[in-house]
Amino acid sequence: MNPVKALEQHGQAVWLDFLARGFIAKGDLKKLIDVDGVKGVTSNPSIFEKAIGSSDEYDGAIGSALNGGDRPVIDLYEALAVEDIQHAADVLRPVYDKYDGNDGYVSLEVSPYLALDTKATIAEAERLWKQVGRSNLMVKVPATPEGIPAIKHLISKGISINVTLLFAQQVYIDVAEAYLEGLEAYVAGGGDPSHIGSVASFFVSRIDSAVDKQLDDKIAKANDPTEKARLAALQGKVAIANAKLAYQHYKRLFAGERWGKLKAAGAKPQRLLWASTGTKNKAYRDVVYVEELIGPNTVNTVPPATLDAFRDHGVPRDSLEENIDDAKQVLADLDAAGISLDDIAKQLVKEGVQLFADAADKLLGAVAHKRETVLAQRIDQQTLALGTTLAKSVADSSEEWRAAGKIRRLWEGDASVWSNTDEAKWLGWLHSAAAEKTKLADYQDFAAWVKREGFTDAVVLGMGGSSLGPEVLAETFGQTPGFPKLHVLDSTDPAQVRATRDAVNLTSTLFIVSSKSGGTTEPNVMKAYFFAQVSAMLGADKAAAHFVAVTDPGSSLEKLAKEQGFARIFHGDPTIGGRYSVLSPFGLVPAAAAGIDVAKFLDSALAMVRSCGADVPPQQNPGVQLGLALGLAGQAGRDKVTILSSKAVADFGAWAEQLIAESTGKDGKGLIPIDGETLGDVSAYGNDRFFIDLRTEAETDAAHDAKLQALEQAGHPVARIVLTSADQIAQEFFRFEIATAVAGAVLGINPFNQPDVEAAKIKTRELIEAFEKAGSLPAEKPAISTAEADLYTDDKNEATLRKAGADGDLASWLKAHFARAGAGDYVALLAYIARNPDHIDTLQHIRLAVRDRRHVATCAEFGPRFLHSTGQAYKGGPDSGVFLQITADDAHDLAVPGQKASFGVIKAAQARGDFNVLTERRRRALRVHLKGDLASGLKMLDDAISKAIN
């Protein structure tokens, strides 16, 4: 007789430890049932990983599943696994029926990530039980300390359970006790236990592998030949002895009065199932863990190779209760040898959980790769060229993150991923795209109202995250027919405020006042100005219909908006910081107003959310990979993140600049983003650069690509991101958010606070209060004064610059100042003037000249806009900046309704507050105040800097 089928005569059921789609579909499982008498199937992450990741048999199913819409990687895997389990259960159903529910089961494991979480294990087991919907399913739950109470609860709810990762006899007793108590609770609640099945999976070969390793060490150290022989005699014996004694506990536990009552009610015993029965030591007989553990009411789950081997040369016999005294002696001798089987068992449980988690990571990584392949045209592509050293660091760190489950911990809000302070309070951005998708009707209603009202323009009045995200949308999407043109004002410069006023028709303009706290100076004064302007034309009542507010619940802005009767109030999420808020109402309200398809926009964002999800291992997770590369490069001195954006997405760098700088630049650490620096020759750069190149698929620039390739070949790390089209920019918002959060973790900082931004705000408020009292800002004494400009700095900087040759002319001060920029430094131009094309061109000309001459990274910023952006890194980040602040006389000031301080005074206070904090932090800072005509002053400054650096 077939030795496998003959096991039936000894009371043992054979289950197969294998599952694959083709194996079921081609009838191979059915054949094993018919020929070998196989009565069940077990699965685990390792089995599914081999089935899905090592073949193409699931590719069609994955493609079909995604044709119905994108889904998270874990959902995609579960859809495949559940379908396989259902098909296997259906094939095994005749066995289940024939043996009255004693056999015919298929097992599906709860996520190994939940092995140490009782509540989560229960919730997932209940969900899988319901999702599979087959009475011959057993849900696999590990016998961890947290798993045992889950087992009891699940049995009490009538769910069949396969208890896995059992190694120790006492733990088995605890598991059996949990089963009995669960049955008793179920029966006490009026349940019929006859449909409940359970097995306790007692692992075998892994014990011998662990014990033999320790025995080998002791044998090598022993000097006495007799002792060596005694130790060697234990090898390959412990696992079987341990299992035999566990079976003796089984006989005791499922007998007597207590069990009799449950049996009378229809309950089935929880059979011992021998798992891990494939022989790992080639010195042992390949069927030893089958032949030596045959006995009544047991199950042996075998991998295909072991099944084939036993069919070929296995010898069935009633072996399980042979030599019980010898088994006891084996364990006694092991203990006498100083080897603790209990300690080994505990370690094996820990390792088993990790091994299954490792397999799950590999499995989900394979599914993630297949998903990305199917959705190639719907997901922006990223490639990293990091060089050998950085690439190895990223690979090593990726593995460390994977093994520690850090990406899952990040998504769960574990603050210890970062600095273990208040990070958990600021993670709403992780879920904002999904959350806002549920509010589509509100955005669509708002968009319809905007269109119906006939607004020709929409102006966002905000700063930082409230303005930079909408600015990207305005520049990237342009104007939608039938909807207003979107503008952004994020300045207190009188000329820029006036330019915005002149660019729109106030009587047909919608103003979006955007401030999370409601207390930010700039949006409040901008709102006051434009509300007064519109009121003067239409009256206050009608003016209010031109204003909407985006703010956090309970803010002062919300209160004011209600008092003045704003047309709409949209609430932000208090758990989302401003720079992470573009996929929340702070970005979506302007998007809807501009006629951007919010549903499509969010769907695009969600594609990247899924690619960067908690279920995607670091190695396959694009956001995590970029973040690790940025953080590790920064630690290695390449902390100048140079963002290159093609024409179609040119404004993205300004948003990313704020995100990276404000998130990472603190505690003397950080990444310094470099936006707007056009690409130069290799000779222009030091060894402190990391390049990120974004472009759309349709855009080509051979000269740019050649320069980028030359930089890569010269050893500079390069990240290339290709968008299928510009309207997929939403994906990049999330990619960079997750990457920045990960980079912050690498750097060991809190990427969600901005302590040094607050410092500048405090200084500004003090200066404005002084103006309110005295009617003027406090007097300043320049270091030098000329007809064209005044120069200011603190005593320490002044002494240093004079010692370096600065005297009575501007050029000498600039020469001494820029000479302070050395390798690894950057030069930042901080201009408190209107941000317009002419001024942008002037600053660009200056910065590129400095870069090419001094070979340092350069920043060209406009104040006060940058205060809510890169200002954090300049003050709190690494002390590698050389700062030239540029201020100027305002040709025409503008009054702020209801305040003594004008726009010009507020801007001046902001500039001085900013500069004061820079000098207090001992930064290398110099301020040039231009007098008279601004255009002439800027040209003079350009010429002076050109002389100074040559």
Side-chain angles (χ1 to χ4, degrees), residues 669-698:
K669 307 174 184 178
L671 305 174
I672 305 299
I674 309 298
D675 175 46
E677 245 193 18
T678 54
L679 207 54
D681 295 329
V682 172
S683 61
Y685 301 99
N687 293 324
D688 58 347
R689 298 283 191 145
F690 186 110
F691 293 91
I692 304 178
D693 185 72
L694 291 96
R695 67 173 178 86
T696 62
E697 199 171 57

Side-chain angles (χ1 to χ4, degrees), residues 23-74:
F23 179 77
I24 301 168
K26 295 173 184 176
D28 293 334
L29 174 58
K30 179 66 165 60
K31 182 178 178 181
L32 291 181
I33 294 170
D34 294 340
V35 174
D36 293 322
V38 167
K39 293 183 174 64
V41 168
T42 53
S43 69
N44 59 48
S46 298
I47 290 171
F48 274 115
E49 187 277 319
K50 290 173 184 174
I52 295 174
S54 302
S55 72
D56 59 3
E57 67 175 300
Y58 286 83
D59 291 7
I62 291 172
S64 297
L66 291 171
N67 284 338
D70 191 16
R71 59 177 74 183
V73 167
I74 188 65

Side-chain angles (χ1 to χ4, degrees), residues 211-219 231 234-235 334 339:
V211 169
D212 287 357
K213 183 178 180 181
Q214 292 196 26
L215 287 169
D216 284 339
D217 290 342
K218 288 186 174 291
I219 291 168
L231 293 170
L234 294 174
Q235 291 189 306
L334 185 71
I339 296 175

Side-chain angles (χ1 to χ4, degrees), residues 746-768:
V746 173
L747 295 171
I749 50 89
N750 180 344
F752 309 114
N753 65 1
Q754 50 278 334
D756 302 287
V757 169
E758 300 306 316
K761 288 181 180 179
I762 291 169
K763 291 287 186 184
T764 298
R765 283 197 295 270
E766 291 174 352
L767 287 164
I768 292 175

